Amino acid sequence: QSRTITGTVTGKDDGAPIPGVTVVVAGTKSGVTTNGSGSYTIKVPSGPQSLVFTSIGYLKKTEKITGSILNVSLESDTKSLAEVQVVGYGTTTKRANVGNIATVKGSEVVEQPVQNFQQALGGRAPGAQITIANGVSNTTPVFRIRGTNSISLSSQPLFVVDGVTVFAGDYGNESGGSALSNIDPNDIESIDIAKDGAATAIYGSQGANGVVFITTKKGKKGTAVISVNAYTGVTNVSRLPQVLNAAQYVALKNEAMVNAGVYSAATVPASGFGHAGFTTDASGNQVDTKWADLVYHTGKTYNVSTSISGGTEKTTYYGSANWSSQEGIIRRDAYKNKGMNFNIDHKANKYITLGMKVSYVDQLSLAAVTSGSLAGEQYATAGLGREALLLPPDISPYNADGSYNTNGAGMGTQGNVGSAYGTIAYTNPVSALALDRANAEISHTSANVYLQVKPTPWITLKTLYGADIIFNTADSFTNPITNYVSGVNTASALAFESTNKRYVWDNTAQFDHTFFGKHNFSLLLGNEQRGTNTNSFQLNRSVLSDPAFNVIQAGYSTTTYGGGGIGVNYLVSFFGRLNYNFDEKYFLSGTIRRDGYSGFGADKKYGYFPGFGASWVVDKEKFWDNMHFDKVFSSLKLRGSYAQVGNSNVGDFGSYTLYSASGLYNGQGTVLPSSTGNDKLGWETSKKTDIGFTVGFFKDRLTLDAAAYYNNINGLLYNVPAPPSAGLASNPLVNVGSMWNKGLEFDLNASIIQNSSFRWTANFNISFNQNKITALATGINQYTSGTTTSEITNISQVGYSIGNLWMIRSAGVDPNNGRRIWINAAGTKVEYAPTGTTATPTQKWYYMDGTAAPAITQAADAVNYANSTPKAYGGFSNTFSYKGFDLNILCTYQLGFSVYYGTQATLTDQRFWNNSTIILNHWTTPGQTAQYPQVYYGDNVSNGTGLPSDFNVYKGDFLKLKTVNFGYTIPKNITSKVNISNLRVFVSAQNLAIITKYPGPDPEVSAGGTGNSTQGIDRNTAANARVITAGISLKF
Amino acid sequence: LPTSISNQGYAQFSTVARIQAGVLGLYATVRSGASFGGRYIEADEAKGDNWINATSNGITDYNTWREANTSNDTEVVGLWGQCYLSINDCNLFIDGMAASGSAVLGNATLTNNYVAEARFLRALNYFALLNMYCQPYAVSNGASPGVPLRLTGNSSAGDYTLAPATVAQVYTQIISDLTFAEANLPLAYFTTGTTLDATSNTTRASRNTAIALSTRVYLAKGDYANVITQANKIVTLTAPFTATTGVPYALQANIANVFKTPYTTTESVFSLPFTTAETPGTQNQLATYFVNTTGEFYINASSQLFTDPNWRATDARRGLTKVSGTKTYSNKYPTGSPYTDWAPVMRYSEVLLNLAEARVNVNGVADLQAIALLNAVRQRSDPGAPAIIPTIANILEERNIEFLAEGKRWLDLWRLHMDIPAKGATIGVLPATAPAYIWPMSATEQVYNPAIGR
């Protein structure tokens, strides 16, 4: 005899139905789960019974059956220690985890107009510093977990998606191409950032930079829930430097020419004024070109994501599709994405579970021409970020006859005349934007299958095979108009293809058992094998036959092989983890991994990576309650860990001494040593120590996570120079250096107001990091680096932080003569006279008493000037909800660092380049105190172009209104009438405002990309975008 | 990488073809514009008194020309590195042949041929290092500091600290290498049967090449008896002077033939080939230093060379100069971009003049062969020129005319420990005892090899 009970489960806070709640008859194992609209139907034996309702994130509730309908509302489990966290090869709860893992919920990164989820992580998690390097679409952010942890190898973390370590590099061409943009943020369940030794030790030689686990959504039991999330919006450039208009430009350049003595009315046509002069367009108007308006525009963004999720007792599934078209701030820079994702899990019987996942994304990274913003592009003469600023405003992109203004590969000077004015070697950005292309297409497939067997309830055996495959093509064309040089159409095309394949096979056995009631053991044993193959080649073709064709297949007179590569590596690992806890009070965890990696040298193929952690849940102690601490402190957990992990990003063949068979001697092939290897090439060792605590106040309405860490890195790889007389073909990578990072992290979460209609939760996190290099190679105590070889901007010295700014000091402008004063290595002032010669008496360089001085050079006179990585960073997030309204505001900040505003050197250069309006404050009369020296045409020294100087360095500290998301959920009683279970409309904004003293567009910038030693450089880089979107999200 | 071979298991010696390519690779390294393909010749010329620097460009031997070198100068650091790169490649090859290559070849004669080529090239590099960075043998009979003697190959990271050997020790090694080379190099290279392979005979070392180079080395060491012994193997007693065994060296009727395609005359004892696909590289090309009318150097009009009445207007070697405006340049390397003129290392006329000088030193100026040798070279280019007495000064002057822009002037001043004459109005005489007489030690060597001294 049984009866049927039905009901709906809702959340106590918002009244929304909760799907997937397990409903079990008390004392039995028979149960059901709620469907997509939160309702359930269960058969219950007669007699007085209770139902038990459990769901992750909610407090367990037991309710007596009083009739045939039983509706319940569940209270959220605000105890943060109950949160599920993903760890390597498994999951745990925050309470049981001895490691330091920051969890970001998928809901925190959705609805944001980002191309890859990393871009939305900034400020969300302590210890994770995210810097968006530039305003190019789908750029790969600088992602540092607890500081920069390597010199020669990548410092980006390891990314593990659903258990498979994946490619995370950039596969774009002139637009960004982050491999991780294949994951639609809507599909992300959670992001867990493993920071300390205990959490990363299970990844052994790959754990040094931290591990980021991405867990994608899985199906939930119940009828299918269909959700649609769509938004559209606009993207704008903001805070561009103000440049001179045509009139100001002509006046300034002519003043500079007079000062330089090159101005001569006799040599100038009567129509002109000086050597710089106005241009008139076809309709007779004076040209005043705002190049920034021709380079930047308001981009349009569209994004639609849909998903279906559901399942039965045995089978659950989740499928999604995503279409995205996001234009960048630079014209023709765009990201177009079409993605599909599907996973299914099936419980075949009591013992066997199996499932699979497949996702396929086709992604176009579109651009016309270089933005000049990606690493290494800062001095490209076609770089749009720079061209938008430096091109003269008194010339037009067009000639009066409507044709493009070109002169060889550069532009015509139009109204500006005279050999002293010079020629414009910069390409016409308008013709380039119209006719060039520099696109990439990324086809990214990620898939895995698994089989899990539970022969007994306490043994779980699992095998998982995963693949991550990227086919990447790049397609570039430079047009025949700007490349019509001396009668020859040198238009060129480039094609590049690469395949990148990775296979991972994991086999794990997990044993969970409790002895004597309180001794809980969990043992994981596993094996992983991972193989990676890459293969690429490039074709360059030039001198186009028929300008009408612009594909690589067209007729060209020159075809050359543009290089390529083949890479193979293999990793085999065995690992184990033993967790023990006594009564959920004392937790111990020990991990060991043995890695064998093909990239290491012959003598160092294998290594062991141990880790230990312990924690103590103090609030479970009797004395805690006895001493009435529980009145204030609702929870307290102490935690500590130590581990040795490695950085294995050594490249596939770095250990080998290679001979090249590519050279010739009088037409015959040669074989010659081409690079020098190192049989002892090994991983860099990170010894990570972490202690911390988590404390909750007032029933965990307020929680504080605090951690202190020390990461001592030894065996840093460095290309160690040998004496030249050793005759080595190259400087081999040797494990020689050492460095440490130490820091503090605080993460404060507060549920400030929680009532049925109004809720306010807040998170504040701050991380402090300090870095110091303690050793480089023998005989070497520093090295310098720059964004390109054209400009060296950073120095890394033993005893200092990595990648500090390396600047020449200055002492303003001499009021007497309007010349720049520098300070040389000895601390003596040295002036520069652009009019001087190297011969006496008028020196170019002289001391304040007029005697000749050696020229100021960076090598001789620059100092270790300031740190370029922030000393503190974090975020402050507030979430409000009132009835149907919700509002989330995230502010991010980075503090205690300096930025070299190299663009300002560009903007004050006294060649034909246009200048920032700050140049108007320049010296003209003796006695005047001015910010800038007397202008002198051709002077590219006084502004710091070739001499990175302190007057172009600014504090980068900023507070950014990073994200604002405001939504309204239409009341259920309305939407349910049209069978919509949830309908929300929202508006969202990114980078809405910034508080900073930095004068450039954005101090959150990295012209050096993700490089370790080239942070803090803003050189000719396109600024971050401001994006405003509006959207709708609905569930059926 | 697709065109790379790992050295695991001596894979670079695993086939006969790879070994042959390995031998050619050694020449390719020597041929580099950073050393014998350009920079060595250029530095030697810049140090001598025949040129005026036109550009004051610190990258292109300006400091060498004005005798104000620092250890950081491009040329000082660059030549040192390139010579040792070449030496190490030779050492790796010699080691690899012993360990693996000789078994693969299965031909002891051929193995010794190849090893002899490596040792010949090693000797060539060591001699260049002595020439630029060390005091001549004449100073203290070679007891002054030489360069580190590295005779085994270095192929991986390691500690390479090594003190320099003495000049005498380096000479001993060079002579040992050349002796081995002489004994083991092929007599000549043939295309088929007995048809001489003129290209290989010019671009690779044969027995006579090693003998020819040894005359230069012995002469620099002041070992005149051995110069005579060695030269006699490849120079007949009377004119026309030729080599009667091995590659049949002889003077060309017209010297201009040596400097034009195909560059493979029997006078070209050893030259390094360039082609449109194999170029000396920017700022290395001989043409940009001495030939171009906007070149780095033009002929010093007040030099002994240019004011020498014995260098007559009828001399064919005047035809290897060209005048542009008020300046005179060399015209030995006339081919413009991509600069495919071959770089001469040694010509037969040098062997003849080496022998003449040695004989004069032993037998005095009345030595009949010496007279004949000197005038053979002189009258080849100026048939109407009166014969001159082979005083050392006359021989040196003849060498100066004959080898202009071929990198021999400093070699001659150095080996005889002579002062460097003035260069125009700005650079005065540099005494042979001055510290700036020889190049300083490469700065990078000083930083990374603490045992180097200096």
Side-chain angles (χ1 to χ4, degrees):
Chain A
Q1 183 73 17
S2 68
R3 53 202 159 129
T4 299
I5 307 293
T6 60
T8 304
V9 182
T10 53
K12 193 174 183 184
D13 299 323
D14 56 2
I18 309 170
V21 177
T22 307
V23 186
V24 178
V25 181
T28 74
K29 286 192 173 171
S30 65
V32 296
T33 55
T34 57
N35 65 14
S37 48
S39 53
Y40 69 94
T41 306
I42 189 168
K43 285 204 161 89
V44 178
S46 57
Q49 298 284 0
S50 295
L51 292 181
V52 181
F53 298 85
T54 52
S55 182
I56 288 168
Y58 293 93
L59 293 176
K60 183 165 148 183
K61 189 164 192 178
T62 306
E63 199 80 11
K64 274 187 180 151
I65 297 171
T66 50
S68 63
I69 294 174
L70 181 58
N71 294 329
V72 296
S73 64
L74 296 183
E75 199 173 340
S76 301
D77 184 0
T78 54
K79 284 217 174 197
S80 65
L81 291 179
E83 267 177 38
V84 172
Q85 290 190 318
V86 175
V87 295
Y89 311 97
T91 57
T92 183
T93 61
K94 199 166 180 189
R95 176 182 297 279
N97 185 14
V98 298
N100 191 330
I101 293 180
T103 301
V104 178
K105 291 198 191 88
S107 59
E108 293 180 67
V109 297
V110 295
E111 293 170 3
Q112 293 187 39
V114 293
Q115 297 90 43
N116 60 72
F117 67 88
Q118 301 172 81
Q119 293 168 328
L121 278 182
R124 296 283 181 194
Q129 182 207 336
I130 313 284
T131 297
I132 313 285
N134 52 59
V136 175
S137 295
N138 199 18
T139 198
T140 299
V142 184
F143 197 139
R144 297 277 183 266
I145 295 177
R146 294 183 165 180
T148 299
N149 290 298
S150 186
I151 288 173
S152 304
L153 308 183
S154 170
S155 289
Q156 300 283 97
L158 178 74
F159 290 89
V160 178
V161 179
D162 294 327
V164 178
T165 57
V166 297
F167 293 114
D170 192 290
Y171 295 84
N173 186 356
E174 291 302 347
S175 187
S178 169
L180 292 170
S181 62
N182 73 321
I183 304 168
D184 180 359
N186 285 293
D187 289 341
I188 295 178
E189 181 71 38
S190 70
I191 299 162
D192 293 88
I193 302 169
K195 299 180 285 189
D196 73 334
T200 57
I202 197 73
Y203 280 94
S205 66
Q206 308 163 79
N209 297 325
V211 183
V212 179
F213 300 101
I214 298 101
T215 308
T216 62
K217 285 177 182 164
K218 295 241 174 197
K220 285 180 179 151
K221 285 174 228 173
T223 54
V225 176
I226 294 167
S227 61
V228 178
N229 184 311
Y231 63 76
T232 179
V234 291
T235 306
N236 277 306
V237 66
S238 58
R239 286 171 52 99
L240 278 179
Q242 204 69 50
V243 293
L244 303 180
N245 64 24
Q248 289 169 314
Y249 172 86
V250 169
L252 184 90
K253 293 299 166 186
N254 285 330
E255 180 188 335
M257 289 199 200
V258 170
N259 292 339
V262 295
Y263 166 77
S264 165
T267 63
V268 176
S271 60
F273 172 67
H275 282 72
F278 296 103
T279 305
T280 44
D281 63 16
S283 40
N285 298 321
Q286 203 164 294
V287 166
D288 189 356
T289 306
K290 290 183 175 55
W291 291 99
D293 292 346
L294 302 175
V295 167
Y296 296 104
H297 71 151
T298 298
K300 296 179 189 67
T301 281
Y302 307 93
N303 186 81
V304 182
S305 294
T306 61
S307 70
I308 179 162
S309 163
T312 64
E313 279 301 307
K314 285 184 172 295
T315 309
T316 57
Y317 58 89
Y318 178 89
S320 71
N322 165 255
W323 175 81
S324 196
S325 170
Q326 306 192 20
E327 288 179 339
I329 50 175
I330 295 172
R331 289 172 193 270
R332 291 201 40 212
D333 170 285
Y335 165 85
K336 295 195 174 187
N337 192 65
K338 288 193 275 281
M340 289 164 270
N341 175 32
F342 185 75
N343 66 56
I344 184 164
D345 297 277
H346 178 67
K347 204 171 154 112
N349 58 36
K350 201 170 153 190
Y351 309 106
I352 295 174
T353 309
L354 50 96
M356 65 172 292
K357 165 201 154 167
V358 61
S359 90
Y360 171 76
V361 174
D362 179 69
Q363 178 188 313
L364 294 170
S365 286
L366 303 177
V369 62
T370 172
S371 65
S373 300
L374 305 180
E377 293 182 342
Q378 279 62 42
Y379 293 92
T381 50
L384 293 172
R386 179 157 70 148
E387 287 205 310
L389 302 175
L390 71 68
L391 288 177
D394 64 340
I395 64 168
S396 164
Y398 301 101
N399 296 315
D401 63 6
S403 61
Y404 286 115
N405 172 14
T406 62
N407 175 24
M411 295 179 71
T413 58
Q414 296 193 333
N416 306 295
V417 288
S419 60
Y421 182 84
T423 54
I424 299 178
Y426 294 84
T427 53
N428 186 330
V430 175
S431 65
L433 281 166
L435 302 169
D436 289 356
R437 65 173 191 274
N439 299 335
E441 181 166 11
I442 300 159
S443 296
H444 196 156
T445 305
S446 295
N448 67 56
V449 290
Y450 74 89
L451 173 69
Q452 182 175 295
V453 180
K454 269 173 108 81
T456 72
W458 57 279
I459 298 177
T460 309
L461 306 172
K462 187 176 179 184
T463 181
L464 178 145
Y465 185 84
D468 194 37
I469 299 169
I470 293 177
F471 292 106
N472 173 216
T473 62
D475 164 39
S476 295
F477 178 74
T478 50
N479 71 74
I481 307 285
T482 41
N483 292 283
Y484 202 79
V485 179
S486 58
V488 182
N489 167 9
T490 60
S492 61
L494 172 159
F496 170 83
E497 295 221 0
S498 78
T499 57
N500 309 269
K501 301 180 188 176
R502 170 169 291 172
Y503 301 97
V504 178
W505 188 19
D506 289 347
N507 295 293
T508 55
Q510 170 105 27
F511 308 92
D512 297 288
H513 209 276
T514 301
F515 297 94
F516 311 114
K518 288 181 174 175
H519 298 274
N520 303 303
F521 285 88
S522 171
L523 174 69
L524 170 79
L525 296 173
N527 155 250
E528 175 166 297
Q529 294 174 78
R530 192 186 81 195
T532 307
N533 289 277
T534 55
N535 190 324
S536 66
F537 69 91
Q538 180 176 316
L539 199 62
N540 294 326
R541 306 196 72 193
S542 62
V543 189
L544 181 62
S545 319
D546 181 340
F549 295 99
N550 64 6
V551 290
I552 188 83
Q553 295 85 352
Y556 296 86
S557 70
T558 308
T559 300
T560 54
Y561 171 62
I566 294 174
V568 180
N569 66 57
Y570 176 67
L571 173 78
V572 58
S573 308
F574 297 89
F575 50 85
R577 177 172 58 212
L578 179 62
N579 290 339
Y580 165 74
N581 77 68
F582 175 73
D583 199 18
E584 306 245 309
K585 216 176 343 181
Y586 309 106
F587 293 84
L588 291 172
S589 173
T591 308
I592 189 148
R593 177 155 172 147
R594 179 178 193 261
D595 273 345
Y597 181 55
S598 65
F600 296 141
D603 304 345
K604 293 276 275 184
K605 289 275 187 241
Y606 297 93
Y608 286 95
F609 301 89
F612 312 94
S615 67
W616 175 26
V617 180
V618 184
D619 59 75
K620 279 219 155 194
E621 297 288 353
K622 284 230 165 55
F623 71 77
W624 189 259
D625 295 350
N626 293 346
M627 295 170 81
H628 302 295
F629 283 139
D630 58 324
K631 299 278 185 260
V632 182
F633 299 102
S634 42
S635 61
L636 176 66
K637 178 185 162 189
L638 306 178
R639 184 172 45 72
S641 74
Y642 173 82
Q644 283 188 22
V645 290
N647 187 336
S648 63
N649 295 307
V650 291
D652 296 344
F653 309 115
S655 75
Y656 294 106
T657 290
L658 297 178
Y659 278 66
S660 165
S662 59
L664 295 173
Y665 184 65
N666 205 27
Q668 292 179 276
T670 62
V671 169
L672 270 178
S674 54
S675 72
T676 304
N678 175 10
D679 283 346
K680 296 180 184 64
L681 178 75
W683 54 92
E684 301 180 341
T685 305
S686 273
K687 293 177 181 165
K688 293 180 188 285
T689 311
D690 178 283
I691 55 166
F693 63 87
T694 302
V695 61
F697 305 89
F698 318 118
K699 292 187 178 171
D700 281 3
R701 290 278 287 272
L702 181 66
T703 60
L704 172 68
D705 271 293
Y709 62 88
Y710 176 65
N711 181 18
N712 193 12
I713 310 148
N714 286 301
L716 282 176
L717 285 165
Y718 190 78
N719 286 96
V720 174
S725 66
L728 299 184
S730 67
N731 294 334
L733 266 183
V734 186
N735 297 84
V736 285
S738 56
M739 178 163 84
W740 52 251
N741 280 294
K742 62 184 180 187
L744 294 171
E745 293 165 5
F746 300 96
D747 189 22
L748 193 63
N749 281 289
S751 295
I752 297 166
I753 297 173
Q754 292 284 356
N755 63 44
S756 55
S757 62
F758 184 64
R759 288 191 302 155
W760 175 18
T761 59
N763 168 273
F764 175 78
N765 65 73
I766 187 163
S767 308
F768 301 90
N769 188 68
Q770 217 185 333
N771 168 276
K772 191 183 273 189
I773 300 172
T774 48
L776 290 170
T778 311
I780 298 170
N781 55 19
Q782 65 181 56
Y783 68 95
T784 58
S785 40
T787 54
T788 74
T789 51
S790 304
E791 184 176 59
I792 303 301
T793 45
N794 302 72
I795 189 163
S796 301
Q797 273 182 311
V798 172
Y800 295 86
S801 175
I802 188 169
N804 280 1
L805 299 178
W806 192 40
M807 296 291 142
I808 301 161
R809 294 165 297 170
S810 67
V813 175
D814 188 340
N816 299 315
N817 56 21
R819 290 173 187 166
R820 173 71 70 193
I821 306 169
W822 270 279
I823 296 172
N824 71 11
T828 312
K829 289 179 177 178
V830 175
E831 275 191 6
Y832 173 76
T835 49
T837 67
T838 48
T840 47
T842 47
Q843 296 286 342
K844 265 194 183 316
W845 299 93
Y846 55 89
Y847 297 112
M848 300 308 277
D849 64 2
T851 57
I856 292 283
T857 63
Q858 191 182 24
D861 302 308
V863 297
N864 190 327
Y865 186 71
N867 62 300
S868 62
T869 44
K871 288 178 178 158
Y873 56 88
F876 180 44
S877 158
N878 281 283
T879 306
F880 305 92
S881 67
Y882 176 71
K883 298 205 168 146
F885 293 95
D886 61 87
L887 173 66
N888 176 267
I889 299 168
L890 171 70
C891 296
T892 62
Y893 58 89
Q894 297 188 1
L895 305 171
F897 71 110
S898 294
V899 178
Y900 173 59
Y901 187 18
T903 310
Q904 185 165 275
T906 302
L907 281 168
T908 50
D909 193 293
Q910 287 313 317
R911 285 172 278 185
F912 67 81
W913 303 4
N914 197 10
N915 290 161
S916 156
T917 50
I918 56 170
I919 199 71
L920 297 173
N921 181 8
H922 66 266
W923 187 94
T924 51
T925 46
Q928 181 188 354
T929 305
Q931 190 187 354
Y932 279 90
Q934 182 180 32
V935 291
Y936 177 91
Y937 197 75
D939 180 8
N940 62 351
V941 175
S942 301
N943 64 318
T945 289
L947 297 171
S949 303
D950 62 0
F951 52 80
N952 287 324
V953 175
Y954 294 89
K955 288 273 176 232
D957 303 24
F958 71 84
L959 172 68
K960 219 179 231 192
L961 185 51
K962 185 77 182 172
T963 310
V964 177
N965 202 320
F966 179 63
Y968 176 65
T969 305
I970 314 289
K972 301 267 172 313
N973 52 17
I974 299 173
T975 55
S976 59
K977 287 175 186 159
V978 285
N979 285 330
I980 292 172
S981 64
N982 189 292
L983 172 61
R984 178 170 171 271
V985 292
F986 60 90
V987 290
S988 171
Q990 282 238 314
N991 291 331
L992 208 52
I994 183 168
I995 299 170
T996 182
K997 286 186 177 163
Y998 184 71
D1002 194 340
E1004 184 186 353
V1005 68
S1006 173
T1010 59
N1012 294 326
S1013 323
T1014 53
Q1015 296 302 303
I1017 309 303
D1018 184 4
R1019 180 56 125 162
N1020 304 332
T1021 310
N1024 267 340
R1026 174 182 295 166
V1027 193
I1028 296 171
T1029 56
I1032 180 168
S1033 108
L1034 62 153
K1035 284 193 172 115
F1036 302 99
Chain B
L1 306 174
T3 54
S4 291
I5 301 161
S6 156
N7 69 342
Q8 307 257 308
Y10 291 100
Q12 71 275 30
F13 291 96
S14 61
T15 66
V16 172
R18 279 185 180 173
I19 294 169
Q20 286 168 346
V23 177
L24 295 182
L26 303 181
Y27 287 99
T29 312
V30 167
R31 188 263 313 268
S32 164
S35 58
F36 293 89
R39 288 302 201 128
Y40 174 47
I41 294 173
E42 288 141 15
D44 197 297
E45 290 290 333
K47 219 160 157 53
D49 57 325
N50 292 334
W51 304 94
I52 299 295
N53 180 280
T55 58
S56 304
N57 184 347
I59 303 296
T60 52
D61 291 326
Y62 177 56
N63 285 348
T64 296
W65 176 77
R66 64 189 185 114
E67 296 144 8
N69 288 107
T70 72
S71 55
N72 278 309
D73 287 343
T74 305
E75 59 267 35
V76 172
V77 172
L79 185 71
W80 179 270
Q82 185 64 31
C83 285
Y84 270 109
L85 181 70
S86 186
I87 288 167
N88 190 47
D89 286 354
C90 292
N91 289 337
L92 286 168
F93 183 82
I94 294 164
D95 295 351
M97 286 304 287
S100 165
S102 63
V104 173
L105 277 183
N107 178 334
T109 308
L110 198 54
T111 298
N112 282 337
N113 285 167
Y114 290 162
V115 171
E117 288 184 87
R119 292 188 66 170
F120 168 82
L121 294 173
R122 184 167 72 181
L124 186 68
N125 278 296
Y126 271 121
F127 187 70
L129 290 169
L130 287 181
N131 182 206
M132 300 310 297
Y133 299 89
C134 302
Q135 293 290 350
Y137 191 84
V139 174
S140 68
N141 278 331
S144 30
V147 297
L149 258 186
R150 298 193 186 264
L151 302 173
T152 52
N154 303 321
S155 63
S156 71
D159 179 4
Y160 293 112
T161 307
L162 182 66
T166 65
V167 166
Q169 287 168 329
V170 180
Y171 269 106
T172 304
Q173 182 59 44
I174 291 170
I175 289 162
S176 157
D177 280 343
L178 291 178
T179 307
F180 180 91
E182 182 186 334
N184 291 288
L185 283 168
L187 270 179
Y189 296 92
F190 301 95
T191 48
T192 50
T194 57
T195 310
L196 285 167
D197 176 355
T199 303
S200 295
N201 285 327
T202 301
T203 60
R204 294 178 68 169
S206 64
R207 187 201 65 168
N208 287 0
T209 325
I211 295 169
L213 182 63
S214 75
T215 67
R216 181 191 287 177
V217 172
Y218 282 123
L219 190 69
K221 200 182 167 209
D223 183 349
Y224 303 116
N226 267 319
V227 177
I228 296 166
T229 308
Q230 288 298 92
N232 283 344
K233 295 175 183 170
I234 54 171
V235 181
T236 50
L237 274 175
T238 54
F241 300 104
T242 57
T244 52
T245 58
V247 180
Y249 296 147
L251 290 181
Q252 293 299 294
N254 183 354
I255 187 174
N257 290 343
V258 178
F259 296 98
K260 66 185 189 190
T261 182
Y263 310 98
T264 55
T265 68
T266 48
E267 184 171 336
S268 305
V269 172
F270 187 41
S271 293
L272 297 166
F274 288 108
T275 71
T276 50
E278 303 162 50
T279 59
T282 307
Q283 294 191 315
N284 293 333
Q285 312 97 340
L286 290 162
T288 59
Y289 281 75
F290 308 119
V291 180
N292 285 4
T293 49
T294 53
E296 303 280 343
F297 292 90
Y298 57 92
I299 294 175
N300 176 2
S302 59
S303 63
Q304 186 190 337
L305 167 80
F306 213 55
T307 56
D308 182 5
N310 283 331
W311 191 15
R312 306 182 335 150
T314 47
D315 196 316
R317 293 170 295 193
R318 290 259 180 203
L320 292 173
T321 62
K322 66 173 177 179
V323 177
S324 173
T326 59
K327 294 170 183 169
T328 307
Y329 296 85
S330 170
N331 201 27
K332 281 185 174 169
Y333 315 105
T335 313
S337 179
Y339 307 102
T340 53
D341 284 310
W342 291 19
V345 177
M346 194 164 199
R347 289 196 285 123
Y348 192 52
S349 53
E350 185 191 340
V351 179
L352 302 187
L353 294 175
N354 288 348
L355 177 57
E357 188 176 333
R359 291 191 71 95
V360 169
N361 272 300
V362 173
N363 303 324
V365 296
D367 185 282
L368 288 176
Q369 195 192 8
I371 295 168
L373 287 164
L374 172 62
N375 288 295
V377 174
R378 178 171 164 78
Q379 291 169 342
R380 177 262 297 258
S381 293
D382 191 358
I388 50 171
I389 305 165
T391 60
I392 298 298
N394 278 345
I395 293 172
L396 287 180
E397 183 55 15
E398 193 62 35
R399 290 173 67 97
N400 207 7
I401 297 166
E402 177 75 11
F403 302 120
L404 179 67
E406 293 180 57
K408 300 287 178 292
R409 179 58 172 165
W410 163 247
L411 174 66
D412 287 347
L413 295 171
W414 168 78
R415 65 187 169 84
L416 297 169
H417 206 219
M418 294 164 72
D419 297 347
I420 304 176
K423 303 170 187 177
T426 50
I427 309 293
V429 175
L430 184 81
T433 50
Y437 190 65
I438 55 170
W439 268 359
M441 175 55 55
S442 155
T444 45
E445 185 72 21
Q446 293 184 51
V447 171
Y448 302 119
N449 182 7
I452 194 68
R454 292 211 261 178

